[in-house]
Amino acid sequence: EALARDRFLAEVNPRLFSSAEGETIWRRLRKDGKIIVLADGLEEALVGTNAEPERDTIIRAAIRRAHQQRLPLVIASRPHDPLRATDAAILNLEPLSYEAALAYIGGDETTTPDERRLAWIVETADVVEAPLYLQITRELHAQGLLEPTAAGQRGVVDTRGVDRSRLRLALLQTWERAITYGHLREEIPLNRAERIAALEHMSALACIGLGRDRLEVDLDEIPVPGVVAEVQRRLVQMDEATGDAPGVRNVDVRLAAAWAAQLELVELRGDSVRFPHSLMQAYLGSRVLDAALLDPDYCREALQRPRPGREFLIGLVLHSRAGEPGGQDEQPDLVTPLREAATDRDDNKVLDIYAAALEIDCVAAAPEHEGIAAEIQDRWARIHAHDSRTLDEGKLALVRRFGEAARTIDGRRRSGAQFGARPAYEPLYAIACGERSYPVQLAAAQELGVGGDAAYTALRHLLAAPCTTCEQQRADRSAEGAERPVPGPGASNDTLRAALASAWLAPMLLGTIGGQGSGPEERAIEAQARADLGQWLRHVSQDGRQAGEEDLPISLEIALAQGFKYAANRRPMQPDARRETRMYLAEQALEMLKNARYWFSQLTLIHALCLLNLSEGPKQPAGRRGTAETTVQHWLDAVGRERPDYGRLPGTSVGRPGAPVPPHPFVQEAAELCVLALKTGRPQRYCWIDESGIIGQVGSRNLSGANVERRHRLWIPPSAGWTALDERAQQLVADVLLLLNLADRGEQPSERERRLRRSNRLDLPPCITHYRDALKPGRTVGTAISSVPGVSCVDGCMFELCPYPPKGVQPRVEMSEAFCRRQEMLLARTARHSLSRQAPWQEMKVAQLRRFWTEMADRARGPRPRTSLADQRRRGSRS
């Protein structure tokens, strides 16, 4: 508060008659609650001070004191230890969506070939991950330096056959050349030699900061000798090229820092400089890393605990992309020191180290991909962190880099590279089977699902298919000891996780198999993948089963349906590409819909069929009825049609033989939204891919006037959040998750399966339709008298699922405060919506719904600060 007050007075005092007047204005605004304090860089607070040993406690106490004093405080920080047990709501800042990023960069006007190329750069380089990449791409686009036809300008980005890291390096190098040649910061009166001198000296300081994991570097710090010599060599070379004497070779670091501050590369802070962008520090440091890595003392200091820093690892990856692919034999070995640094460490920093090692190794002349993957698999279960959020973020990043590296290795093998490394899909599958975090397990399965022929060939003998018909599989599995049966209700958690991963992969792998060719070998692999998918579908259908084959558990039926939706979300980049495979997937998804018995499986399959039926052609006008309604109604008519027992579930009065069975209310609503998705061609507004993913992030939209539709790899990208959904879809996904959180819980698979069967009905429980008070969402583990499902149900309820899982017992997915507040807003009456805006199944007063979502928002926010005894007495005297 004191810092904010000083900043406020510094801003307003020049326009006031006296400083006392500014103080009065501050106190008035503070009292009226019109002051919001914004703080940036919490991870740098108190670092290097006498208070550092007590830093975590001091920060937590300060935030709690601000909460108690009702100071509106917003803090930006990287995830680190003091955030644990902090008395504040924590909200992850998400990347922009691709469309919003393109609008920011300036590619929102047309869909010319150059604009499509820009969209490809944005998606391939994943520039939305960091604001710096967005800023650089925008500046280069404004100067025309991203266009391959800009022959009159230097440094156009080369995008031929590059991966994510190499394209990022190309963007940074092009930006550097634009700075030195004066295309950017042209108003700064510095010639090319002076700009290069500033870059070279700042590269040396950045390299020092990378080794010591610091954004701020003293100008008088002892530099690395090899780096100093390399910088001097480059400056001498510049003077010789320009013919200047004495030139820039004698420019000292302080003058270079002043020039760099004018170019906005650094911030001057007395006798030190601070790099405002950590990624810029990583890039500048990578320019001289080849000289620094020759110094064993520098490497030892950079890799010792608690280092290496994130920027140092990014610098190593950028350095590895500076040469030609496969040319690492002439450069220092970067992978071995990283693997040695990860030895005997189990903290979450190991995840960052291995992610960098995989990225560097996949372009090496002799990749050690399989050895690194084996180490990751062996260490995976032991890696831990104080904060589960930090651990999951590290695991997700490593899983994505793992999948990218495996695909890079496979691509090099197919192009004729002569090395013995193979994509290590088996360790990644083992990680997917053993991981307890649902988002991480799903991310690993999705990386496997895009592996195509190589992934299927490597995993064919491991996939936990529910039965075996192929003679080769029968021989392989008999050699292992026994065939793999369907995991039953008594299966362990590890067995069930393996079965879930295999159920996801059955349709996902089929969707990517065959993309490398159409020869006999590829056709045989595709035929085998279809046979494997047929094994799963036989356990859903009651026709054509073999002796001993039973229904899949509901959890596996859901996973198989989700696999169809994940496969359907891949958008064919060419209109006729993989048309036959998508038609086959649509046919099998419809067959499963006819036999699926659980409402959530049916809803998921309708979403999958919607995505599989989307086309790149002209959309049907929104006001006409016809193809979309007929198609979706056909799907609804097919629901449960081939199950004789469908509709005759315990406690239901519908389902007479031969009579039509009404669909589940959630399935009906999803089908109506799919009609709109098919008409508009915008599935992102009416469908979602993963419930936990869509609820877990707010998302972003392009709010500019233009509505340009671009073709991306996915119909619904991972950046999609709940704000992109239509209001009806937001209400639907909220109540779908409420019911799933009630049903899919328990320590053992048998408990979850029992409750899933209990919720397998064609109607909804009273706590969803009429009486939300029975859910009691505000309970915690400490205050809950009993957490046994059914103890707070309405009299006569056949579901026996209430109350809601107490806080402290992690449900399937925890809803954020922002999402719960949004549900409150959807219920508000406005001039446009004079009637209540409840969903059709919400047959209760709006006040009850609003009270429920307020309690859910408070649950996500955490406990309110306790008021002091003096405050309580003061309030009592006022009353």
Side-chain angles (χ1 to χ4, degrees):
E1 183 173 12
L3 289 171
R5 173 183 169 277
D6 294 342
R7 178 63 182 267
F8 176 83
L9 294 177
E11 292 287 339
V12 302
N13 274 341
R15 294 185 290 273
L16 300 176
F17 290 106
S18 67
S19 59
E21 188 178 357
E23 180 70 27
T24 302
I25 296 173
W26 166 266
R27 289 180 178 274
R28 171 60 63 182
L29 293 176
R30 176 73 176 86
K31 181 179 179 181
D32 293 344
K34 295 181 179 180
I35 291 291
I36 298 177
V37 179
L38 305 178
D40 186 19
L42 181 65
E43 70 276 4
E44 299 181 55
L46 304 178
V47 174
T49 66
N50 295 331
E52 188 166 1
E54 303 173 0
R55 177 174 178 273
D56 294 2
T57 303
I58 293 174
I59 290 176
R60 293 190 186 108
I63 294 175
R64 180 171 181 80
R65 186 163 57 252
H67 199 173
Q68 291 172 338
Q69 296 176 1
R70 291 174 172 79
L71 175 69
L73 179 62
V74 179
I75 302 177
S77 172
R78 291 183 188 171
H80 64 307
D81 285 346
L83 299 181
R84 296 178 64 239
T86 298
D87 194 8
I90 298 179
L91 180 66
N92 284 334
L93 294 180
E94 306 155 11
L96 288 177
S97 67
Y98 289 136
E99 296 299 333
L102 286 167
Y104 168 78
I105 292 170
D108 200 28
E109 299 86 2
T110 61
T111 55
T112 63
D114 290 339
E115 296 300 329
R116 288 195 293 269
R117 183 173 185 271
L118 175 61
W120 180 87
I121 291 174
V122 168
E123 189 169 359
T124 303
D126 197 17
V127 300
V128 298
E129 187 180 52
L132 177 65
Y133 290 127
L134 281 169
Q135 178 184 341
I136 287 175
T137 308
R138 182 182 187 179
E139 292 178 349
L140 295 179
H141 177 70
Q143 295 294 327
L145 296 176
L146 297 179
E147 302 174 7
T149 57
Q153 302 191 44
R154 295 178 180 269
V156 177
V157 170
D158 185 5
T159 60
R160 294 172 295 179
V162 296
D163 62 359
R164 168 179 169 272
S165 297
R166 191 176 294 275
L167 183 53
R168 285 183 170 186
L169 178 63
L171 288 171
L172 290 165
Q173 289 175 334
T174 304
W175 181 84
E176 175 198 331
R177 288 190 288 269
I179 287 285
T180 56
Y181 280 95
H183 299 309
L184 298 176
R185 313 290 189 271
E186 64 275 3
E187 72 280 2
I188 306 300
L190 295 174
N191 60 36
R192 180 168 175 259
E194 292 168 340
R195 291 171 180 243
I196 290 178
L199 274 168
E200 298 297 347
H201 280 286
M202 292 308 101
S203 296
L205 293 179
C207 188
I208 296 173
L210 293 182
R212 299 173 185 176
D213 195 17
R214 296 209 313 260
L215 285 174
E216 189 167 341
V217 184
D218 292 339
L219 295 175
D220 296 327
E221 288 208 45
I222 300 176
V224 181
V227 172
V228 174
E230 175 63 19
V231 169
Q232 189 64 24
R233 185 190 66 81
R234 295 179 184 182
L235 295 180
V236 170
Q237 187 177 6
M238 169 58 63
D239 288 344
E240 293 175 351
T242 58
D244 292 339
V248 294
R249 71 183 71 182
N250 296 323
V251 170
D252 68 346
V253 67
R254 296 182 183 275
L255 178 58
W259 290 343
Q262 295 181 55
L263 296 173
E264 301 179 7
L265 299 177
V266 296
E267 298 173 356
L268 283 177
R269 293 191 173 184
D271 290 333
S272 65
V273 295
R274 183 184 183 276
F275 293 89
H277 304 290
S278 61
L279 291 176
M280 182 55 65
Q281 181 193 21
Y283 168 66
L284 292 176
S286 72
R287 298 176 72 253
V288 293
L289 266 180
D290 50 352
L293 294 174
L294 298 177
D295 186 346
D297 293 334
Y298 177 85
C299 296
R300 189 181 309 108
E301 181 180 12
L303 293 174
Q304 69 181 359
R305 288 176 182 266
R307 306 180 186 113
R310 187 175 69 100
E311 290 75 23
F312 177 75
L313 296 175
I314 294 174
L316 289 180
V317 174
L318 293 175
H319 176 68
S320 71
R321 297 304 194 273
E324 294 296 325
Q328 294 292 311
D329 52 342
E330 299 180 359
Q331 299 185 11
D333 181 11
L334 305 178
V335 177
T336 300
L338 289 175
R339 295 173 69 178
E340 292 175 350
T343 304
D344 299 328
R345 289 184 64 169
D346 295 328
D347 57 318
N348 62 296
K349 181 66 71 175
V350 174
L351 300 170
D352 298 333
I353 295 174
Y354 276 125
L358 285 170
E359 279 198 273
I360 296 170
D361 175 76
C362 69
V363 296
E368 303 173 9
H369 178 74
E370 293 173 286
I372 300 173
E375 290 180 12
I376 295 173
Q377 178 187 352
D378 180 63
R379 306 282 299 282
W380 188 268
R382 302 197 301 271
I383 299 174
H384 63 276
H386 296 301
D387 182 19
S388 60
R389 189 196 307 263
T390 302
L391 182 62
D392 280 357
E393 289 178 354
K395 286 185 174 181
L396 286 171
L398 176 54
V399 163
R400 295 188 183 107
R401 302 293 87 78
F402 200 144
E404 291 174 2
R407 291 191 292 276
T408 300
I409 295 292
D410 183 50
R412 293 180 62 188
R413 285 180 59 85
R414 292 180 181 277
S415 64
Q418 299 298 320
F419 54 78
R422 296 179 178 274
Y425 285 117
E426 291 187 23
L428 186 56
Y429 176 74
I431 289 172
C433 295
E435 176 57 43
R436 298 189 177 189
S437 171
Y438 175 80
V440 178
Q441 184 186 24
L442 177 58
Q446 289 176 329
E447 292 297 329
L448 291 169
V450 296
D453 299 30
Y456 177 75
T457 303
L459 301 178
R460 179 178 165 185
H461 67 288
L462 292 175
L463 294 175
C467 59
T468 55
T469 55
C470 174
E471 293 299 328
Q472 180 61 42
Q473 283 192 343
R474 190 183 302 274
D476 292 342
R477 289 170 183 169
S478 62
E480 296 176 7
E483 297 182 359
R484 301 187 181 193
V486 179
S492 66
N493 281 313
D494 292 341
T495 303
L496 181 61
R497 281 193 292 266
L500 286 173
S502 299
W504 284 332
L505 289 173
M508 292 169 66
L509 283 173
L510 178 59
T512 57
I513 283 174
Q516 306 296 337
S518 57
E521 183 177 355
E522 287 78 10
R523 289 196 297 269
I525 293 175
E526 185 172 5
Q528 182 57 53
R530 291 190 179 191
D532 288 348
L533 179 59
Q535 294 177 35
W536 284 96
L537 293 176
R538 280 207 314 275
H539 283 267
V540 180
S541 171
Q542 292 188 339
D543 296 331
R545 287 188 183 177
Q546 299 180 3
E549 294 181 350
E550 301 176 353
D551 274 335
L552 284 179
I554 293 178
S555 56
L556 292 187
E557 181 185 286
I558 292 173
L560 186 60
Q562 289 174 323
F564 274 104
K565 183 158 69 169
Y566 302 145
N569 192 38
R570 296 194 200 100
R571 190 172 188 166
M573 301 310 293
Q574 300 296 331
D576 296 329
R578 309 194 56 78
R579 179 180 180 86
E580 181 181 352
T581 299
R582 291 182 66 84
M583 291 177 61
Y584 179 80
L585 285 172
E587 178 186 359
Q588 298 306 308
L590 184 60
E591 288 300 314
M592 183 177 176
L593 183 63
K594 296 176 183 177
N595 292 277
R597 66 190 190 278
Y598 193 64
W599 63 267
F600 185 64
S601 304
Q602 299 163 5
L603 183 152
T604 304
L605 288 168
I606 286 179
H607 278 173
L609 287 167
C610 175
L611 295 174
L612 288 167
N613 278 267
L614 285 170
S615 65
E616 305 292 349
K619 310 299 183 295
Q620 180 186 3
R624 292 181 54 192
R625 292 184 59 84
T627 306
E629 288 85 355
T630 304
T631 301
V632 175
Q633 187 58 48
H634 173 63
W635 300 340
L636 282 178
D637 293 340
V639 170
R641 188 170 65 194
E642 295 187 4
R643 291 195 71 92
D645 58 339
Y646 182 72
R648 291 198 295 265
L649 301 174
T652 60
S653 59
V654 296
R656 296 186 304 275
V661 179
H664 190 278
F666 290 166
V667 176
Q668 177 69 44
E669 182 74 0
E672 294 177 6
L673 292 171
C674 284
V675 172
L676 299 175
L678 290 173
K679 283 185 173 182
T680 61
R682 299 174 62 193
Q684 188 173 338
R685 290 283 293 157
Y686 306 102
C687 304
W688 59 86
I689 297 302
D690 178 60
E691 293 71 27
S692 62
I694 197 74
I695 290 298
Q697 58 187 24
V698 177
S700 58
R701 287 183 291 170
N702 178 13
L703 299 180
S704 64
N707 184 22
V708 181
E709 294 185 8
R710 294 180 176 85
R711 295 173 60 187
H712 299 290
R713 295 189 181 103
L714 302 175
W715 287 106
I716 303 177
S719 60
W722 52 262
T723 53
L725 288 175
D726 181 78
E727 293 180 359
R728 290 173 59 186
Q730 290 180 26
Q731 289 181 316
L732 175 61
V733 71
D735 283 356
V736 163
L737 273 173
L738 281 178
L739 187 50
L740 285 177
N741 284 343
L742 287 170
D744 191 11
R745 57 172 165 165
E747 295 294 331
Q748 298 300 324
S750 58
E751 298 177 17
R752 297 195 293 272
E753 186 67 22
R754 183 170 63 252
R755 291 174 186 129
L756 286 171
R757 289 198 302 267
R758 201 181 296 166
S759 64
N760 188 19
R761 299 165 54 95
L762 298 182
D763 55 348
L764 289 169
C767 58
I768 300 294
T769 58
H770 293 85
Y771 193 68
R772 292 284 171 107
D773 292 343
L775 291 171
K776 302 184 183 302
R779 302 174 322 121
T780 63
V781 174
T783 61
I785 299 175
S786 176
S787 300
V788 177
V791 297
S792 65
C793 284
V794 178
D795 292 343
C797 176
M798 303 296 294
F799 290 82
E800 298 180 356
L801 297 174
C802 290
Y804 198 72
K807 188 174 182 180
V809 178
Q810 184 66 32
R812 181 185 178 97
V813 56
E814 192 70 74
M815 300 186 192
S816 66
E817 180 185 4
F819 179 76
C820 296
R821 298 296 183 196
R822 175 59 177 168
Q823 294 298 312
E824 288 185 70
M825 293 178 59
L826 292 178
L827 297 168
R829 290 188 176 93
T830 62
R832 179 183 174 187
H833 300 275
S834 58
L835 301 177
S836 64
R837 301 165 68 184
Q838 298 158 268
W841 58 86
Q842 295 172 347
E843 302 175 8
M844 64 190 77
K845 292 183 179 180
V846 173
Q848 184 187 156
L849 269 176
R850 290 175 63 88
R851 183 170 63 250
F852 167 76
W853 286 113
T854 300
E855 292 178 1
M856 288 291 290
D858 291 342
R859 167 194 173 101
R861 182 180 180 85
R864 300 294 185 185
R866 294 182 179 180
T867 56
S868 64
L869 184 59
D871 289 339
Q872 295 176 8
R873 290 174 177 173
R874 195 177 301 114
R875 292 179 183 177
S877 63
R878 291 197 190 106
S879 61

